[in-house]
């Protein structure tokens, strides 16, 4: 086992961090990264993190030379170029843009779900903006419908950036929005997720018990 040369600003609850952790597992790079656990929320910033990432967000990855990379997409791209196995982000051609577009849709699910989490968990109930919450939830539903109806074959064809991102998005919905009951409306996606959830990389990075 080698000494870690990089530091990942980390929280086990963050689905964006989870994507990075899954890629580290899948590409055999776990021992290259030390984890620095960060506790933060939009109303409770972390001074240490702010020094390395002015955006105050995780994940951020400090490299051996002190350079700090963020956000998750940049870190994933970097780490995928640091191993000798098959790339998990296609380097070129139409596959690259197709797979990154699915990953982007998964990130849109995550952005909406994290916003909902912040609005409902951090703001007093009497200040919740229901119209805004409904629109975030509609975005999630539209994205899930697209994945179910138009992208399931593509998604099932490889476990790469697209699959990692969608799996982490679905895992976050289960973690923070269990009442969404998305499986009833999206059975093909549910079957796919049950299968990929058996992978050691996803098992090892499951969010903590809520
Ligand atoms: C969460 O606890 O839901 C969370 C933590 C870090 C980033 C995003 C979400």
């Amino acid at each position: 086992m080698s000494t870690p040369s990089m530091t990942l600003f980390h929280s086990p609850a963050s689905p964006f961090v989870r994507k990075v952790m899954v890629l580290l597992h899948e590409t055999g790079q776990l021992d290259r990264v030390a984890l620095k656990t960060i506790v933060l929320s939009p109303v409770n910033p972390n001074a240490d993190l702010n020094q390395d990432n002015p955006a105050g967000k995780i994940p951020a990855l400090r490299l051996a030379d002190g350079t700090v990379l963020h956000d998750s997409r940049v870190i994933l791209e970097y780490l995928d170029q640091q191993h000798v196995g098959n790339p998990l982000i296609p380097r070129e051609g139409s596959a690259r843009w197709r797979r990154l577009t699915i990953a982007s849709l998964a990130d849109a699910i995550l952005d909406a779900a994290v916003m909902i989490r912040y609005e409902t968990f951090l703001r007093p109930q009497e200040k919740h903006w229901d119209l805004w919450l409904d629109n975030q939830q509609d975005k999630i539903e539209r994205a899930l419908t697209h994945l179910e109806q138009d992208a399931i074959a593509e998604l099932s064809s490889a476990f790469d950036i697209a699959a990692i991102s969608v799996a982490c998005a679905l895992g976050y919905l289960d973690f923070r929005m269990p009442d969404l009951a998305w499986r009833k409306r999206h059975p093909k996606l549910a079957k796919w997720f049950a299968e990929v959830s058996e992978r050691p990389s996803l098992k090892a990075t499951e969010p903590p018990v809520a």
Side-chain angles (χ1 to χ4, degrees):
M1 191 173 183
S2 56
T3 309
S5 60
M6 300 179 272
T7 301
L8 181 68
F9 293 86
H10 170 275
S11 157
S14 164
F16 299 101
V17 169
R18 189 181 185 197
K19 290 191 298 169
V20 173
M21 293 300 297
V22 172
L23 184 133
L24 288 170
H25 274 267
E26 293 282 341
T27 59
Q29 297 189 81
L30 270 181
D31 62 356
R32 302 185 62 211
V33 175
L35 301 183
K36 184 175 165 102
T37 300
I38 295 290
V39 177
L40 87 163
S41 78
V43 292
N44 179 25
N46 183 292
D48 265 3
L49 174 67
N50 286 350
Q51 283 196 334
D52 280 298
N53 178 3
K57 290 164 86 172
I58 51 172
L61 182 70
R62 193 193 297 127
L63 308 183
D65 69 358
T67 307
V68 177
L69 304 183
H70 54 84
D71 58 4
S72 65
R73 296 183 203 208
V74 177
I75 296 170
L76 289 165
E77 188 90 45
Y78 174 79
L79 290 172
D80 197 39
Q81 298 196 15
Q82 305 304 311
H83 67 99
V84 292
N86 286 335
L88 297 189
I89 304 175
R91 298 276 197 269
E92 59 193 9
S94 66
R96 175 173 172 83
W97 310 118
R98 287 199 319 271
R99 308 301 290 187
L100 284 175
T101 299
I102 292 177
S104 168
L105 190 63
D107 283 356
I109 292 174
L110 279 181
D111 287 339
V114 170
M115 293 291 189
I116 290 172
R117 166 76 179 164
Y118 289 154
E119 175 78 2
T120 53
F121 184 69
L122 295 176
R123 293 193 90 190
Q125 179 140 27
E126 68 276 11
K127 293 194 173 154
H128 290 178
W129 187 4
D130 289 335
L131 177 62
W132 185 87
L133 284 168
D134 289 348
N135 275 279
Q136 295 302 319
Q137 193 152 327
D138 286 351
K139 188 186 301 192
I140 294 173
E141 197 53 37
R142 282 196 308 273
L144 294 176
T145 300
H146 175 81
L147 292 171
E148 171 83 9
Q149 294 181 357
D150 302 311
I152 196 74
E154 171 100 43
L155 194 56
S156 308
S157 66
F159 194 80
D160 66 357
I161 187 64
I164 290 172
S165 303
V166 173
C168 291
L170 296 176
Y172 188 75
L173 294 181
D174 285 348
F175 177 46
R176 291 301 191 204
M177 300 177 68
D179 295 343
L180 197 62
W182 60 269
R183 286 174 176 79
K184 285 189 208 154
R185 299 178 302 284
H186 308 292
K188 289 182 258 182
L189 202 52
K191 181 169 178 291
W192 172 83
F193 185 49
E195 284 163 13
V196 297
S197 293
E198 294 302 316
R199 296 180 79 89
S201 62
L202 285 175
K203 280 194 174 299
T205 58
E206 276 174 7
V209 176

